[in-house]
Amino acid sequence: AGFTQSHVSLSFMMLRLLALLVLSTSGLPLEACDGAVHMLQTNARHAGKAGKEVRISSWMGRTGDNILQVGNAIVFAKWSGASRVVLPKTAKDVTLKDARESVAEEGIGALFDLPAHIDVPISRESMDGLDCSETAAVIEKLGEYEFLTSSCDGVPARMLHQVLSEHLVPYMTSDLQECVSKKATPEEESLLTIHLRTGDAHDMTWPCNVISHLQSQYSYSSVLAVTTKLGTEREHWCTSYLNETVQNMQYQMESVTSDFCSLLRAKNLFVGSSAFAVTAAFLSPNAERLFHGGPKDEWIPWLHHQPKYCVDSNGSIWDGTDLTIYGDPDFTPRIFRYEAGEFAPSTWFWDPTKNSAIVGNWTAHNDLNDMKMNDMKPVSDELELMDVRC
């Protein structure tokens, strides 16, 4: 059952009394007490819009998409005052004929031993600046939501990193925990790790020469590319260029756990437009330098509401991790979906009233119908350091 208006009013009174009692006895000035009361009241004001729990309707997409669903749902729960997020079952809980298409193989169940629900305590940070009303309206109508394409508008990347680190990391599988916790080797200290998305779709949102530029500027001794489909017609379009221009170029194509672990262990990590790599960055306990080479505000183009990727006065996107983005205004980013042996530019649609992340099929724009990968220029003549200050 949802919260009644009397519950909300009572919550205001209790929060005010509790905050004043705790903070006034701590020796802090009255202004700090007033500020804390305002923050708690602001957060509690949203209570009742989602009820006592937030429910993810179903897992959608693959590993990175599932992680985004959890993070988005937790942020919404904090905004709405819900006390827990109820998760769908993973493929470990159901019988599926084709394991390679199951959540256990390709999705969140391969990396996390998830409970039936994740408890979400009352938020200590202010939710001011977030607009979750669109999602709240869908939940009011349908009772649940997929939480992939969006949750709230105006979510700082710092907040998403915090909620995932606090609420999802504890459920890592023992294999993933063991892999991530191993002591860094000397080689890893001077290694740039990148992710090349290919297979089901090609990430062509960044110029290939960004990588050689980073290696030169930061003196990385080697580059490790986590990827798939190497040596086939679906290998990433930057592969040949990287082999020619990067010193000590290495490739990794292993299990979901091993590949995700390599991204989590990276001290220097480059991500393009891939939910798998971007969520690894959000979860990473090790990344000291985070690089991006595509559109600075749209790292995952199918999200209706993007996190705010920006840095503080110290150049950090969150504590301990600096962010650098290189771009080129004349470079046109593309993501190509492989269909029937051909590449076709993708068009994404979003319809919250139908509780659907993607409506329609992958579609080629009229002016790009016959475009093939080789028709695009893989490098940039004018790489620019983007201004990503908040």
Side-chain angles (χ1 to χ4, degrees), residues 12-277:
F12 286 156
M13 295 175 61
M14 293 179 65
L15 286 170
R16 175 179 288 276
L17 290 173
L18 180 61
L20 286 172
L21 176 62
V22 173
L23 291 176
S24 62
T25 57
S26 67
L28 293 174
L30 183 60
E31 290 78 5
C33 299
D34 293 339
V37 171
H38 171 74
M39 181 188 72
L40 292 172
Q41 285 185 327
T42 299
N43 294 347
R45 195 172 294 120
H46 304 297
K49 295 184 180 180
K52 294 183 179 180
E53 65 182 27
V54 170
R55 185 176 296 273
I56 299 177
S57 55
S58 63
W59 295 121
M60 304 189 68
R62 300 193 297 178
T63 308
D65 302 315
N66 300 159
I67 294 172
L68 282 173
Q69 287 180 273
V70 175
N72 288 338
I74 293 173
V75 169
F76 181 81
K78 286 178 172 289
W79 176 86
S80 66
S83 60
R84 66 181 185 178
V85 172
V86 180
L87 305 176
K89 291 182 178 180
T90 68
K92 293 177 180 178
D93 306 312
V94 297
T95 301
L96 297 177
K97 293 181 179 180
D98 187 358
R100 289 203 57 79
E101 295 299 321
S102 71
V103 175
E105 176 69 18
E106 298 259 11
I108 197 170
L111 303 176
F112 300 91
D113 292 322
L114 295 175
H117 68 268
I118 295 177
D119 292 326
V120 181
I122 294 176
S123 179
R124 293 188 179 93
E125 69 271 16
S126 173
M127 296 287 110
D128 285 348
L130 271 61
D131 181 4
C132 310
S133 56
E134 196 173 63
T135 299
V138 175
I139 292 178
E140 184 176 355
K141 178 179 180 180
L142 301 175
E144 59 185 13
Y145 191 60
E146 39 82 10
F147 287 102
L148 174 57
T149 52
S150 71
S151 168
C152 303
D153 192 18
V155 178
R158 181 182 297 267
M159 180 181 294
L160 202 51
H161 164 73
Q162 179 183 340
V163 300
L164 288 172
S165 299
E166 179 179 351
H167 298 290
L168 188 57
V169 166
Y171 298 107
M172 280 185 181
T173 63
S174 57
D175 288 345
L176 185 56
Q177 288 181 9
E178 181 181 358
C179 179
V180 174
S181 62
K182 290 179 181 178
K183 185 178 179 180
T185 65
E187 291 77 15
E188 286 178 306
E189 297 289 342
S190 60
L191 174 70
L192 173 63
T193 301
I194 71 175
H195 181 254
L196 302 179
R197 180 182 179 175
T198 181
D200 67 322
H202 262 61
D203 173 17
M204 305 165 67
T205 59
W206 46 274
C208 301
N209 56 323
V210 169
I211 306 305
S212 56
H213 177 80
L214 292 176
Q215 184 179 44
S216 175
Q217 181 171 354
Y218 292 93
S219 301
Y220 295 126
S221 60
S222 57
V223 175
L224 173 65
V226 177
T227 187
T228 57
K229 307 297 182 183
L230 198 64
T232 72
E233 62 179 355
R234 299 193 188 188
E235 73 176 21
H236 195 273
W237 77 319
C238 287
T239 300
S240 297
Y241 184 85
L242 295 177
N243 290 338
E244 296 173 358
T245 61
V246 173
Q247 297 180 7
N248 298 322
M249 187 68 211
Q250 307 166 22
Y251 295 91
Q252 176 176 314
M253 297 161 288
E254 299 180 5
S255 66
V256 173
T257 297
S258 180
D259 288 348
F260 201 72
C261 176
S262 292
L263 298 177
L264 291 177
R265 288 180 60 84
K267 291 183 176 294
N268 311 289
L269 178 62
F270 176 90
V271 300
S273 294
S274 164
F276 186 78

